[in-house]
Amino acid sequence: MRIAILSRYPGSYSTRRMVEVAKRRDHEVEVVDYSRCTMNITSRRPEVRLSGRTVETDAVIPRIGASQTFYGTAVVRQFEAMDVFTANPSQAIARSRDKLRALQLLAARGIGMPVTSIARNPEDIAEVIEQVGGAPLVIKLLEGTQGIGVVLAETHKAAESVIAAFRQLDANILVQEFIKEAGGADVRAFVVDGKVVASMLRQGPEGEFRSNLHRGGSAVQAKLTPEERSTAVRSAKILGLRVAGVDMLRSNHGPLVMEVNSSPGLQGIETASGVDVAERIIRFVEEQVLQGRKSDRIEG
Ligand code: ADP
Ligand code: MG
């Protein structure tokens, strides 16, 4: 079958691995730079064009960059209008990209997460600090990724000034209880089609509470508890993601979800777990297309 990987980086590890596996499994695979796609959205026969030709494919695997969510999800939506199967629906990608929206959806369905609070007006800072149990606490930019924009405020004074500074820049933030016992580590569960296919434990470098690999963290294989597995699977399902990286902190009272990634990278997880995650994704897409699964109807 024909598979298009929607990615701006054909040379990235994740994209290369999926291309390699798709070829090995006898598919016609192409990497489509979605940022260069054009779409005539008024056409009765919707299509996506790239470099003067129509993109013809049976399935798409979106790898939409965090800064490209708006245009990237529009391209995925166009493929949905064409009844092309997508590994992740456009709606689900949009939902998970907005940290606040995602956490609100997860909290409403009873998923455990660090106590989290938000406010808009600087006059309400004291109240949100109190709501999360006071300092130390974590302050996060809503649009941040890779650990940039995640700050640990150790004292009440520090928390006040960091929050005030972010607000001054008109940045949207959330304030979160600091899970000290996680010890600068978190676990990622890689979910494909409602199952955890691989997992890893990431540990930040000495003196760093953020475990992001981009911040110098290191990853090892992790055995997840049944509760961690079910939390990860449920979180992906609530957001509507069929391929997802679910990040959890190990707290004294069980797993706490921090975020759910719709384009989780493959390098760290494959290296740490030894699992061929790319193959799991390609096989999932294959099964769905062979079963005649079309894309989800657009719900607006
Ligand atoms: P990003 O999207 O930038 O990766 P995260 O919310 O995943 O932001 O936070 C980055 C890292 O910071 C996490 O992987 C985790 O190690 C650490 N961290 C985030 N929130 C908390 C918290 N509430 N308590 C303790 N550590 C946290
Ligand atoms: Mg993260």
Side-chain angles (χ1 to χ4, degrees):
M1 66 183 61
R2 296 163 303 181
I3 298 175
I5 297 165
L6 306 183
S7 166
R8 294 178 68 207
Y9 306 104
S12 80
Y13 177 94
S14 304
T15 306
R16 278 192 292 112
R17 286 282 299 123
M18 285 191 283
V19 167
E20 185 184 303
V21 173
K23 283 188 180 156
R24 190 171 79 208
R25 298 182 65 79
D26 284 336
H27 300 304
E28 267 175 56
V29 56
E30 78 168 304
V31 178
V32 170
D33 179 350
Y34 55 88
S35 73
R36 300 298 307 276
C37 286
T38 62
M39 303 168 284
N40 176 349
I41 57 164
T42 52
S43 167
R44 298 253 304 246
R45 272 195 49 241
E47 58 174 10
V48 173
R49 298 179 66 81
L50 179 67
S51 316
R53 66 180 175 88
T54 305
V55 179
E56 306 269 9
T57 187
D58 300 304
V60 293
I61 302 178
R63 304 282 313 173
I64 310 299
S67 61
Q68 304 287 326
T69 306
F70 180 78
Y71 200 72
T73 52
V75 174
V76 176
R77 208 151 50 233
Q78 186 77 356
F79 280 111
E80 288 166 348
M82 294 156 61
D83 261 340
V84 169
F85 177 74
T86 174
N88 273 332
S90 57
Q91 280 266 27
I93 299 170
R95 253 181 228 130
S96 65
R97 275 296 154 71
D98 180 337
K99 275 188 189 181
L100 180 56
R101 183 176 175 190
L103 291 181
Q104 283 177 315
L105 285 167
L106 296 175
R109 304 288 290 274
I111 297 289
M113 64 186 59
V115 178
T116 304
S117 205
I118 51 163
R120 174 94 192 139
N121 194 304
E123 285 175 32
D124 305 320
I125 290 175
E127 190 170 321
V128 285
I129 294 178
E130 193 193 304
Q131 279 169 8
V132 302
L137 53 78
V138 175
I139 299 151
K140 295 185 186 184
L141 282 177
L142 282 186
E143 287 85 21
T145 58
Q146 306 183 345
I148 304 162
V150 179
V151 180
L152 172 62
E154 312 239 20
T155 65
H156 186 90
K157 272 275 156 253
E160 268 182 355
S161 47
V162 174
I163 296 170
F166 278 149
R167 287 303 315 147
Q168 180 76 28
L169 297 168
D170 215 21
N172 282 313
I173 53 166
L174 54 80
V175 179
Q176 210 163 55
E177 159 197 23
F178 175 53
I179 308 301
K180 189 167 189 294
E181 66 267 27
D186 71 353
V187 283
R188 165 163 290 188
F190 204 108
V191 178
V192 178
D193 190 21
K195 287 181 286 287
V196 174
V197 300
S199 52
M200 65 175 164
L201 184 133
R202 295 177 298 194
Q203 178 75 58
E206 187 68 37
E208 171 62 77
F209 80 102
R210 297 167 301 179
S211 62
N212 300 68
L213 302 182
H214 288 98
R215 306 261 71 74
S218 55
V220 290
Q221 203 197 347
K223 186 157 169 43
L224 299 187
T225 65
E227 194 189 1
E228 287 167 345
R229 282 176 181 275
S230 70
T231 300
V233 168
R234 284 181 54 219
S235 300
K237 183 152 192 280
I238 291 165
L239 296 178
L241 292 170
R242 303 187 274 243
V243 175
V246 182
D247 295 342
M248 296 169 281
L249 291 167
R250 286 184 155 163
S251 82
N252 292 336
H253 49 284
L256 303 177
V257 172
M258 281 178 300
E259 62 171 348
V260 183
N261 222 294
S262 59
S263 299
L266 299 187
Q267 187 160 22
I269 194 93
E270 287 196 334
T271 310
S273 70
V275 175
D276 188 340
V277 177
E279 189 185 277
R280 299 302 190 99
I281 298 172
I282 299 293
R283 286 175 81 127
F284 161 63
V285 169
E286 260 171 38
E287 282 162 21
Q288 298 296 311
V289 173
L290 289 177
Q291 285 169 22
R293 172 102 181 243
K294 299 291 183 195
S295 73
D296 312 66
R297 280 277 142 223
I298 305 166
E299 295 145 32

